[in-house]
């Protein structure tokens, strides 16, 4: 997906729509993947269509090119490319509760223990940051250029690429990600996330 260029297409979910039950319900997954995610793909393609010079760029190249995009299309391209990038990462790093790798190991675990003391303490801090995110956005664990892990809240469809850092795990804190099942109880959705997050390394 991250090597794809215009026209972008909706990647299939790597598991069944009901595979994340009871933590995320099938109806939410249908709306989230088939409507919300698809809408970012469609709007990104529409925004890029008039600009053949941008048709050979990957998602990351587009997101890094923020300053040099055509003025009149810059917002539409950045917002929708961000939506495509964030949702691609998000659906890839979830997995059915019985197959998900619930805890990191190796280098990532060492970095988490160095920067957050323990994995449990990291989870509590990540959950707190997701709870306090105001409005719509994403909570990310990122690796900075100096090699430190940080938990960062990004508004709307901003991505870690705009900070020049590498996203590792992320949680969609837009209401569309949880409202059908959890209504106003965002904390219950955040708790459920830890049962379906998959620490199998991302193959970027
Ligand atoms: Mn979403």
């Amino acid at each position: 997906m991250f090597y794809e260029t215009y026209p972008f297409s909706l990647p299939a979910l790597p598991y069944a729509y009901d595979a994340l039950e009871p933590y995320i319900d099938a109806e939410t997954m249908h709306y989230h993947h088939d409507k919300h995610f698809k809408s970012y793909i469609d709007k990104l393609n529409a925004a890029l269509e008039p600009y053949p010079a941008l048709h050979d760029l990957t998602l990351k190249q587009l997101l890094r090119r923020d300053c040099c995009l055509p003025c009149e299309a810059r917002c539409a391209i950045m917002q929708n490319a961000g939506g495509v990038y964030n949702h691609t990462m998000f659906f890839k790093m979830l997995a059915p509760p019985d197959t998900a790798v619930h805890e990191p190991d190796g280098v990532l675990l060492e970095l988490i223990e160095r920067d957050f003391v323990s994995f449990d303490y990291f989870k509590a801090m990540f959950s707190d940051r997701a709870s306090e995110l105001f409005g719509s956005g994403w909570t990310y664990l990122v690796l900075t250029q100096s090699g430190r892990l940080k938990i960062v809240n990004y508004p709307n469809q901003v991505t870690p690429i705009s900070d020049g850092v590498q996203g590792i795990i992320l949680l969609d804190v837009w209401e569309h990600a949880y409202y059908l099942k959890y209504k106003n109880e965002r904390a219950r959705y955040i708790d459920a996330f830890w049962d379906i997050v998959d620490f199998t390394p991302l193959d970027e």
Side-chain angles (χ1 to χ4, degrees):
M1 176 70 194
F2 291 124
Y3 300 102
E4 198 185 352
T5 57
Y6 175 90
F8 294 92
S9 56
L10 182 68
L13 264 189
Y15 34 76
Y17 288 89
D18 62 356
L20 307 183
E21 299 260 16
Y23 302 102
I24 298 183
D25 57 294
E27 187 183 17
T28 296
M29 291 302 287
H30 274 288
Y31 274 96
H32 200 176
H33 181 272
D34 301 354
K35 307 285 185 193
H36 291 277
F37 187 9
K38 182 170 188 302
S39 163
Y40 288 111
I41 303 249
D42 292 345
K43 288 177 181 168
L44 176 60
N45 286 333
L48 290 171
E49 195 271 334
Y51 303 99
L54 302 177
H55 288 183
D56 291 336
L57 299 180
T58 65
L59 212 47
K60 283 185 177 179
Q61 288 170 330
L62 286 167
L63 287 164
R64 288 193 190 109
R65 192 168 276 228
D66 188 5
C67 60
C68 328
L69 293 170
C71 279
E72 64 284 5
R74 183 183 161 273
C75 278
I77 292 172
M78 287 300 292
Q79 287 165 356
N80 290 297
V84 174
Y85 180 84
N86 285 332
H87 284 97
T88 302
M89 291 273 288
F90 182 60
F91 289 120
K92 263 173 73 135
M93 52 127 267
L94 299 179
D98 53 338
T99 59
V101 176
H102 296 288
E103 296 192 12
D105 61 6
V107 174
L108 180 56
L109 182 61
E110 283 172 26
L111 292 176
I112 285 175
E113 289 176 345
R114 183 196 67 188
D115 293 343
F116 300 102
V117 180
S118 71
F119 180 62
D120 283 343
Y121 192 60
F122 156 73
K123 277 168 56 174
M125 287 185 71
F126 187 97
S127 295
D128 281 351
R129 292 304 306 276
S131 300
E132 66 196 32
L133 191 151
F134 185 78
S136 297
W138 297 80
T139 300
Y140 259 96
L141 171 67
V142 302
L143 184 64
T144 67
Q145 285 173 343
S146 60
R148 309 296 294 188
L149 293 176
K150 263 174 68 179
I151 300 166
V152 184
N153 281 342
Y154 290 102
N156 303 313
Q157 296 298 355
V158 177
T159 73
I161 292 174
S162 55
D163 284 345
V165 300
Q166 173 65 48
I168 298 172
I169 66 163
L170 70 165
L171 178 59
D172 191 338
V173 200
W174 284 60
E175 285 187 343
H176 68 232
Y178 63 88
Y179 207 85
L180 285 176
K181 181 178 175 71
Y182 293 101
K183 305 297 188 284
N184 60 319
E185 296 185 274
R186 186 194 286 182
R188 289 182 55 224
Y189 162 68
I190 295 168
D191 280 348
F193 170 65
W194 298 112
D195 287 291
I196 47 173
V197 64
D198 183 19
F199 280 95
T200 303
L202 289 172
D203 54 334
E204 277 206 66

